[in-house]
Amino acid sequence: MSDTQQTGDDYILALENVSRYFGNVIALKDVTLRLRRGEVHCLLGDNGAGKSTLIKTLAGVHAPSEGTYLVDGKPVHFASPKDALDLGIATVYQDLALVPLLSVARNFFMGREPQKKLFGLVNVMDIETAAKVAREKLAEMGINVRDANQPIGTMSGGERQCLAIARAIHFGARVLILDEPTAALGVKQSFNVLKLIHKARAKGISVIFITHNVHHAYPIGDSFTLLNRGKSMGTYTKETITKDQVLDMMAGGAEMQKMISELEGATI
């Protein structure tokens, strides 16, 4: 069986030896990332590792300068993020693309509002249906909203993250790309987001979880790709790498130990 056929059978999405250049700047170099169907794949790396560029490449914002992007085993060339969405690849960025002064229901359906006829002539938003669906879908994800017409600004950061994820799932996402979803959250809110990722996987949705926090990634992840300065340090399954080994690789391993030894031996 050829590599392409094998990728099509095993993976819903794959980047094969992808590079991305901005003039003379190398943002990504020969990165391979493969996402199995129904798994949580954690993309780990510190600031400046290339995570943002890789996210935007997956989401259709940037086209690869080199390499191949495959969806369901077939090469794709996205002209815009809409092309990725049309194939069920939804990205939830850190800023969430929510409007604090608008209601929960309006944020849930933003741009895709259910319609009804007013006086049999004019299409208007069906507010009752929107509120009912938003409340039900959030309840399925463990978020109980008493009034879906309340401003979303009244919700906590974790609840807003859950709404953005639930919205993507409701509108047919097969792949969820989550950009640092727990970065600005407390312990309890982070736990709720991790539970939601688990629920998405249970529904058969594939998830790419981008983070620099190994303590959040390791409990929920099935596989892990580590980025450093635009290059992949390898992909590992939970069976082949421990949390301490992931931490060691992210911290620089031998390089970090050398620096600690130099500091300990320095005269102050």
Side-chain angles (χ1 to χ4, degrees):
M1 182 179 292
S2 70
D3 289 344
T4 300
Q5 287 175 317
Q6 186 173 350
T7 301
D9 289 344
D10 294 341
Y11 304 104
I12 190 168
L13 173 156
L15 298 180
E16 300 288 343
N17 300 313
V18 161
S19 299
R20 174 66 192 183
Y21 310 128
F22 297 96
N24 293 326
V25 176
I26 302 173
L28 296 174
K29 183 62 177 175
D30 295 330
V31 172
T32 292
L33 183 149
R34 296 166 181 163
L35 178 66
R36 293 184 183 276
R37 302 174 191 279
E39 79 162 349
V40 175
H41 189 115
C42 298
L43 179 65
L44 295 153
D46 213 339
N47 293 334
K51 301 192 303 295
S52 294
T53 302
L54 194 142
I55 294 167
K56 290 177 180 177
T57 301
L58 290 167
V61 177
H62 299 321
S65 301
E66 295 174 351
T68 307
Y69 188 173
L70 299 150
V71 176
D72 297 320
K74 299 175 182 177
V76 293
H77 303 278
F78 294 147
S80 72
K82 184 181 183 301
D83 293 344
L85 274 172
D86 289 343
L87 289 181
I89 301 167
T91 303
V92 178
Y93 293 99
Q94 277 183 279
D95 62 13
L96 300 180
L98 301 176
V99 182
L101 294 179
L102 291 183
S103 69
V104 171
R106 284 184 178 274
N107 273 282
F108 190 91
F109 282 97
M110 193 181 298
R112 291 173 281 196
E113 294 84 356
Q115 302 286 314
K116 68 177 182 179
K117 291 283 187 183
L118 183 64
F119 305 121
L121 297 172
V122 182
N123 282 331
V124 297
M125 179 179 175
D126 188 340
I127 295 174
E128 291 80 10
T129 297
K132 179 175 181 291
V133 172
R135 196 166 50 246
E136 289 175 352
K137 294 302 176 182
L138 285 169
E140 288 177 9
M141 297 297 171
I143 304 296
N144 293 313
V145 177
R146 283 178 294 179
D147 182 8
N149 292 311
Q150 72 189 59
I152 201 169
T154 63
M155 299 175 75
S156 70
E159 288 172 335
R160 283 183 250 182
Q161 280 282 355
C162 292
L163 182 143
I165 295 170
R167 178 176 66 184
I169 292 171
H170 174 69
F171 286 105
R174 300 188 299 144
V175 175
L176 272 176
I177 302 170
L178 305 179
D179 176 20
E180 300 274 7
T182 61
L185 303 182
V187 174
K188 184 177 180 181
Q189 292 183 345
S190 294
F191 179 68
N192 288 337
V193 171
L194 295 178
K195 282 200 303 183
L196 189 53
I197 294 172
H198 175 75
K199 288 182 179 180
R201 175 174 54 194
K203 290 175 174 285
I205 296 168
S206 304
V207 180
I208 297 178
F209 176 22
I210 295 97
T211 183
H212 62 270
N213 192 322
V214 178
H215 300 291
H216 290 167
Y218 197 82
I220 195 70
D222 300 305
S223 57
F224 311 88
T225 293
L226 284 81
L227 280 185
N228 184 30
R229 297 179 183 178
K231 295 182 180 180
S232 173
M233 299 170 67
T235 296
Y236 308 87
T237 63
K238 189 173 282 185
E239 292 74 23
T240 59
I241 195 168
T242 66
K243 182 167 73 174
D244 287 342
Q245 287 173 322
V246 176
L247 281 166
D248 187 57
M249 291 179 72
M250 286 190 66
E255 183 181 342
M256 180 64 74
Q257 188 58 49
K258 179 182 177 182
M259 185 177 72
I260 291 170
S261 298
E262 288 174 354
L263 288 172
E264 289 174 344
T267 301
I268 301 175

